Amino acid sequence: MARDEAVRDLVDRLELPFNSLGIDPYGISKRHLRVFFGALAFFYRHYFRVKAVGLEHVPKRGRAMLVGNHSGGYAIDGAMVITSMLLEMEPPRLAQGMAEKFINQLPIGSVWSSRCGQLTGLPEHAERLLMDDRLLMVFPEGARGTAKLYKERHSLVDFGTGFVRLALKTRSPIVPLGFVGGGEAVPTVANSSALGRLVGVPYVPITPYGLAAPLPARLCVHYGEPLVFEGTGDEEDSVIVGYVEQVKARIAQLIEAARADRSGS
Amino acid sequence: MKVLVIGVGGALARLVALKLRGAGHSVIGLDRRPWWDAPKDIPVHEVDLRKRAAEDVFRRERPDCVVHMATVNALSASGEERARINMGGTRAVFEHSVAHGVQHIIFVGRHTYYGATADAPLYHTEHEPPSGIGHFPELADLVAADLYAANMLWREPSLTTTVLRLVYTLGPSKTGTLSSFLRGKRVPMVMGFDPLFQFLEEDDAARGIELAVEKRPRGIFNVCGPSPVPLGTIARETGRTVVPVPEPVLVRLLGHLGFPSLPRGALDHIKFPIVVDGAAYRAATGFVHGTDEVEALRRYRRISPV
C-alpha cells in the first residue's frame, strides 16, 4: 500500500462520529486530516525517524490524557505524538492538543488547527473532549517548556496543576510520556520575542545556524502506564500538587529511558 | 390553549403558527406586516407592538401563551430602529403579558447572543455571558432584549418564561442570516478563515419552538440540531462558489461593488464560530431534529439554485 493511501485508510478508520461530508461535531475534517497526516507521516517516518515505545499503555478507546514534556523550540513534540497515535495505534486514534490562543486568530492557522482537532487551549474544550471520550494531549510546562534552551533540553520546568484537577473531575487516566530529541532538532540558543511580535507568535527560537528550521535529529517517545488518581478535582492545592509531582517524576523517568534508548539506537 | 404569535409576518413565525394550529391550539397573530394568505382561523392583528392597539389585543384576546418572535436581526435596519423594536417591543410584550394574565411567554432570541470571538469555547452553554459586543456593538440591542427577557425569570416568578437562543435556520422561505449570505452565486469569505455554522432546517426550528409551548420549560435554552458545518462547505454543498477575500480588502469592499454594508464587527461572524450546546433543551423537551445537516443542505440546493 502506498504511504498516502495508508494515511487515507488510517484516517478512515478513526473512530470519530464523522458525518457523510467527513466532518465531526468539532469540525474535524477527514480531508484536512489526510493532508495534515500525509505531511507529518513523512517527517515521522523519514525525517525524524521517530521511535515510539509503550504504545500498549494508551487506551484503545475512551477518554485519556497524554501528558508529557516539551522537547524542541516549537510544537514538533506535539505533532509527532499526534502522528504516533494515528500511525502506530490499532485502531488509530486522534490525539487532540490544546492550541495556543494566537493560532485561532491567524488566517489559515485558524482553519487547519480546528479542522485537525487541535482546539484553542481552553478548560472548557479540554473537559468537553474528555467527556466525549476523546484522547487529549497536554503539555503542563506550557510555553515555558518550548522556550527551553539546548542546554536545558532534558530538564522539566514547573508544571501547571489544572491538568490533574481535570483528570480527577472527568475521571480520566493520565498516560505519561517522555519525549527526547526535540532539543537536538531545534537547538535553541536564545528566544527572540521581538521577532515573535513581528510574525504574531510569542517568540521565535534562534539556533546556531540562525533559522528555526528543524534538523533531522532522531526523536524518541516513551509512553508509560496510565496513572489513575481518585478524587473530584476540588481537592486542596497541597493534594493536587502531590499528584502533579508524581506525574512529573514519572515523566522524568520516561525521559531518561527515552534518552538511553535514543543514544543506544 | 390560546397562543398569540408576535411577529407572525416572519416566515418562521408563520410556520410556528401553522404548527400550533395543527396541534389543536387557538392561534392569533400580531405584526405590523400583513400575512396575506393566513388561514381564516388565525386572526392577524396588523398593529405596531409598541402602540396602544397592541395592548388592546392582549386585553381582548387574553392569550394563555405568547410566542415573541418580533425581534429584528437584520443589520440593514438602523441602529435606532432596531433598538426601538428589539428593546421597546420586548418590554411591551412582557408588560402586556403580566397585565393581562398570560401564563407562559416564549422569547425567541438568537444564538448570536454569545458573540463570535477567537478565544471563545466552541460549544457555548446557557451559563455563559455574551461576549463580542465590544467588537460588534450593533448586536447590543438583541443581547439586551435577551437579558431583559431572562431577568423576568426572577422579576415575575408567577409567569413562566422561556428564553430560546435559536441557531440559524435554512429552508424554503430563503430568509434569515444564513440564507441572505447564500443569496448569490459567489459567497465571499475572509481568506484563511472558515468558521463552523450551526443551523436548523426551518421545519425543525418551528417544531423546536412549538415544543416550548407544549412542554413549558422555564429557563434559558439553546436550541440547535445537527452538527455544525464549516461555512465554506455549506456554500459548496448548496452549489455556491467560495470567494476568499483578504480581510483588509473585504473591509474596504463592504458597502461597495454589491457587497452588503455591514459594520466591521460583522466580519467576526464569518471568521469565528458560534456553536451552542443544546443538551439542556433536549433534556427539557425531548427535542430532536428531523433533518440532518447534509440533507438540509441538499434540500436548500434544490430549492435555491444559483
Side-chain angles (χ1 to χ4, degrees):
Chain A
M1 190 183 284
R3 289 298 191 199
D4 58 344
E5 285 172 341
V7 167
R8 186 185 181 88
D9 176 57
L10 291 168
V11 168
D12 284 341
R13 289 202 294 118
L14 283 170
E15 296 180 353
L16 297 177
F18 290 110
N19 64 15
S20 63
L21 299 172
I23 298 164
D24 97 330
Y26 289 92
I28 300 170
S29 146
K30 280 189 178 183
R31 185 169 66 88
H32 287 78
L33 287 178
R34 285 173 192 138
V35 177
F36 180 64
F37 282 116
L40 287 182
F42 165 79
F43 284 96
Y44 187 91
R45 290 176 175 134
H46 305 295
Y47 195 79
F48 295 124
R49 295 152 291 137
V50 179
K51 182 177 182 184
V53 176
L55 289 152
E56 68 277 12
H57 297 310
V58 182
K60 291 179 185 298
R61 295 177 180 86
R63 71 191 65 167
M65 293 170 78
L66 300 174
V67 178
N69 62 299
H70 266 312
S71 176
Y74 42 89
I76 292 174
D77 43 18
M80 292 301 112
V81 167
I82 291 168
T83 311
S84 76
M85 291 296 106
L86 185 90
L87 300 185
E88 313 253 20
M89 286 286 289
E90 184 52 49
R93 291 203 74 172
L94 180 68
Q96 296 186 246
M98 295 280 93
E100 291 287 344
K101 289 182 182 171
F102 72 88
I103 293 175
N104 201 32
Q105 295 174 342
L106 301 176
I108 300 167
S110 162
V111 173
W112 280 89
S113 61
S114 54
R115 293 296 167 275
C116 295
Q118 312 308 307
L119 306 181
T120 304
L122 297 171
E124 294 92 336
H125 284 159
E127 184 173 338
R128 183 172 286 274
L129 289 170
L130 288 170
M131 295 307 285
D132 271 355
D133 285 335
R134 305 278 178 128
L135 181 61
L136 186 71
M137 179 180 67
V138 178
F139 292 98
E141 295 176 290
R144 286 166 300 143
T146 48
K148 281 183 273 191
L149 303 180
Y150 178 77
K151 61 185 178 189
E152 303 161 332
R153 66 192 182 284
H154 298 308
S155 65
L156 290 171
V157 299
D158 285 344
F159 276 26
T161 56
F163 78 97
V164 165
R165 290 196 187 278
L166 183 64
L168 291 169
K169 187 177 178 186
T170 59
R171 308 184 81 76
S172 304
I174 291 174
V175 179
L177 69 91
F179 194 103
V180 298
E184 286 79 359
V186 185
T188 307
V189 292
N191 292 299
S192 171
S193 303
L195 273 180
R197 278 194 294 276
L198 276 179
V199 294
V201 299
Y203 64 87
V204 172
I206 308 294
T207 60
Y209 48 93
L211 299 171
L215 300 171
R218 187 179 170 93
L219 307 179
C220 188
V221 54
H222 276 223
Y223 297 96
E225 287 179 16
L227 301 167
V228 179
F229 300 114
E230 292 298 325
T232 62
D234 199 26
E235 288 75 7
E236 295 289 327
D237 281 349
S238 58
V239 177
I240 300 295
V241 168
Y243 292 151
V244 171
E245 289 306 315
Q246 286 184 49
V247 177
K248 194 173 176 181
R250 185 68 187 119
I251 290 172
Q253 290 172 352
L254 290 164
I255 290 172
E256 288 311 309
R259 282 181 72 186
D261 194 1
R262 184 171 179 269
S263 56
S265 59
Chain B
M1 198 183 334
K2 188 181 267 193
V3 186
L4 172 62
V5 179
I6 301 175
V8 79
L12 184 60
R14 291 180 193 186
L15 212 49
V16 171
L18 292 174
K19 279 195 176 296
L20 289 168
R21 170 177 170 260
H25 297 290
S26 166
V27 181
I28 314 147
L30 188 155
D31 203 315
R32 276 194 307 185
R33 300 165 292 180
W35 182 3
W36 298 115
D37 53 351
K40 286 193 169 47
D41 54 354
I42 300 184
V44 177
H45 300 271
E46 283 183 40
V47 297
D48 188 326
L49 184 54
R50 293 155 295 155
K51 299 285 170 62
R52 179 91 189 173
E55 186 174 4
D56 291 341
V57 174
F58 279 79
R59 184 180 296 111
R60 270 201 313 274
E61 300 283 0
R62 302 197 71 86
D64 305 299
C65 175
V66 170
V67 182
H68 175 28
M69 299 181 70
T71 52
V72 180
N73 206 24
L75 292 164
S76 49
S78 79
E80 205 176 322
E81 177 71 355
R82 281 168 50 99
R84 266 205 304 269
I85 295 171
N86 292 336
M87 275 307 303
T90 299
R91 179 180 176 178
V93 169
F94 277 96
E95 286 182 350
H96 300 338
S97 294
V98 170
H100 300 290
V102 173
Q103 296 159 26
H104 181 204
I105 184 159
I106 299 162
F107 172 85
V108 182
R110 272 74 167 183
H111 77 318
T112 46
Y113 164 89
Y114 296 104
T117 54
D119 56 356
L122 182 57
Y123 278 89
H124 295 283
T125 63
E126 291 86 350
H127 307 296
E128 290 175 41
S131 62
I133 303 175
H135 300 113
F136 195 2
E138 292 78 3
L139 271 187
D141 54 299
L142 273 174
V143 169
D146 180 300
L147 293 172
Y148 179 85
N151 77 33
M152 294 304 282
L153 284 160
W154 59 266
R155 278 176 50 206
E156 292 293 342
S158 61
L159 179 71
T160 300
T161 300
T162 307
V163 176
L164 302 181
R165 293 175 183 157
L166 186 71
V167 296
Y168 294 128
T169 57
L170 204 58
S173 77
K174 295 184 258 183
T175 58
T177 305
L178 185 53
S179 295
S180 302
F181 205 69
L182 297 172
R183 189 162 292 150
K185 187 175 180 180
R186 293 177 184 81
V187 176
M189 287 180 55
V190 182
M191 186 179 279
F193 293 90
D194 190 6
L196 292 174
F197 267 50
Q198 206 171 11
F199 55 88
L200 271 167
E201 209 276 334
E202 278 174 359
D203 196 65
D204 279 336
R207 205 157 53 81
I209 296 167
E210 182 200 356
L211 265 176
V213 175
E214 304 290 350
K215 304 286 183 181
R216 300 183 58 165
R218 181 183 166 84
I220 304 167
F221 300 96
N222 296 327
V223 185
C224 62
S227 289
V229 180
L231 180 56
T233 305
I234 292 173
R236 282 186 288 272
E237 290 297 314
T238 53
R240 275 71 176 166
T241 305
V242 170
V243 183
V245 183
E247 187 173 0
V249 177
L250 194 52
V251 168
R252 282 166 182 76
L253 286 175
L254 290 176
H256 307 284
L257 301 174
F259 285 85
S261 179
L262 295 172
R264 183 169 185 165
L267 288 187
D268 281 350
H269 287 237
I270 53 171
K271 285 174 68 183
F272 307 117
I274 309 174
V275 176
V276 295
D277 180 338
Y281 195 61
R282 285 196 296 274
T285 64
F287 174 62
V288 181
H289 62 272
T291 304
D292 70 21
E293 67 276 30
V294 180
E295 180 57 26
L297 293 174
R298 280 195 193 122
R299 284 186 195 169
Y300 197 76
R301 184 179 185 135
R302 280 199 301 274
I303 61 178
S304 180
V306 287

